[in-house]
Amino acid sequence: MIELAPSILAADFSRLADQVRAASEGGATVIHVDIMDGHFVPNLTVGPPVVKSLRRATKLPLDCHLMIEDPDQYIPAFAEAGADWMSVHQEADRHLDRTLHLIKSHNCLAGVVINPATPVETLTEVLDIVDYVLVMSVNPGFGAQEFIPNAVNKIRRLAQLRAQRGLSFRIEVDGGIAQDTVAEVVRAGAEILVAGNAVFGHGDPKTNAQLLLKAATEAALQRV
Ligand code: DX5
Ligand code: ZN
């Protein structure tokens, strides 16, 4: 099943509830929340208080993408604030196995994220633990960047590994997803599509979400 996860990074933060409602009316089924600490990535965003407010504003699952160092220190606070899914970067985590179990112990879905320069093979030992793998198709830290095409190969490789090993993690992609890139990531095997600029950057978020989902659903029918 294809799901659209609009990233609020590109939304108007003074009208978050309205923006999230519009995206959900357009068919979005997950809300992607980008958490940045100014250390792991060169930017700062929001923390648990904003997740707590979003929790009151929508019933959709909140997908917290933790672009932070030492994630174990903050996972309990995000869970308490109402996060449903939490993903951590392979590159930011010395004890990935422990962190993934910590996320699960808070009854959240646990995801692992890889940057564009990180090979899929670095995840071999955790693929049977995670609920989802997030493939970055830009270098994290900012919205509205250009899609890095090699992400398509990594998505395809993950889908192959999953089939070979009989696993069930889902594949998410994040960065530069728009009308011109969505079809190829879906054909490669992506199921959860994060989009910030393409949903909130211009025009009407509801229409933007509808058009992206339409293109994605059509592409899913062409999977071989
Ligand atoms: C980048 C974030 C993304 C970002 C995507 O560090 O992880 O979620 O908001 O933005 P777009 O869709 O504009 O590339
Ligand atoms: Zn993200």
Side-chain angles (χ1 to χ4, degrees):
M1 178 190 151
I2 299 287
E3 294 197 77
L4 179 65
S7 162
I8 60 158
L9 188 62
D12 177 348
F13 274 71
S14 71
R15 304 167 42 234
L16 261 191
D18 291 347
Q19 300 255 284
V20 165
R21 191 177 316 113
S24 77
E25 283 169 6
T29 44
V30 178
I31 300 299
H32 186 83
V33 187
D34 287 306
I35 313 291
M36 305 187 188
D37 68 352
H39 292 277
F40 178 65
V41 287
N43 200 3
L44 290 162
T45 54
V46 299
V50 172
V51 173
K52 193 174 172 190
S53 296
L54 276 170
R55 182 67 294 154
R56 288 194 290 260
T58 181
K59 290 195 166 59
L60 296 183
L62 300 176
D63 168 23
C64 292
H65 174 191
L66 304 184
M67 286 162 274
I68 63 178
E69 288 176 5
D70 196 9
D72 292 21
Q73 194 183 331
Y74 301 98
I75 284 165
F78 282 107
E80 171 78 8
D84 300 283
W85 307 7
M86 267 187 258
S87 60
V88 292
H89 272 259
Q90 187 274 348
E91 306 84 2
D93 201 333
R94 246 184 233 149
H95 302 289
L96 189 53
D97 178 275
R98 178 189 288 152
T99 303
L100 294 168
H101 284 107
L102 177 65
I103 295 172
K104 289 180 169 212
S105 77
H106 287 280
N107 294 319
C108 292
L109 296 189
V112 65
V113 194
I114 46 174
N115 280 335
T118 305
V120 164
E121 283 66 28
T122 58
L123 302 181
T124 317
E125 310 307 323
V126 293
L127 288 179
D128 57 345
I129 304 172
V130 293
D131 296 296
Y132 60 106
V133 175
L134 171 48
V135 175
M136 290 307 299
S137 39
V138 297
N139 287 294
F142 303 94
Q145 301 183 81
E146 201 178 326
F147 179 79
I148 298 174
N150 188 43
V152 176
N153 297 323
K154 291 167 76 174
I155 292 166
R156 209 175 282 125
R157 177 97 187 95
L158 272 168
Q160 277 167 358
L161 280 172
R162 179 175 60 187
Q164 278 163 10
R165 292 178 53 183
L167 299 173
S168 56
F169 61 84
R170 299 177 76 202
I171 303 174
E172 182 174 27
V173 62
D174 183 4
I177 299 302
Q179 283 297 334
D180 58 340
T181 51
V182 71
E184 56 174 343
V185 295
V186 169
R187 281 197 298 263
E191 295 142 334
I192 304 154
L193 310 165
V194 177
N197 191 49
V199 173
F200 296 114
H202 51 85
D204 170 34
K206 177 177 171 182
T207 313
N208 294 339
Q210 281 170 337
L211 291 173
L212 265 178
L213 269 171
K214 183 169 182 286
T217 313
E218 284 167 9
L221 297 172
Q222 297 162 16
R223 274 184 192 150
V224 280

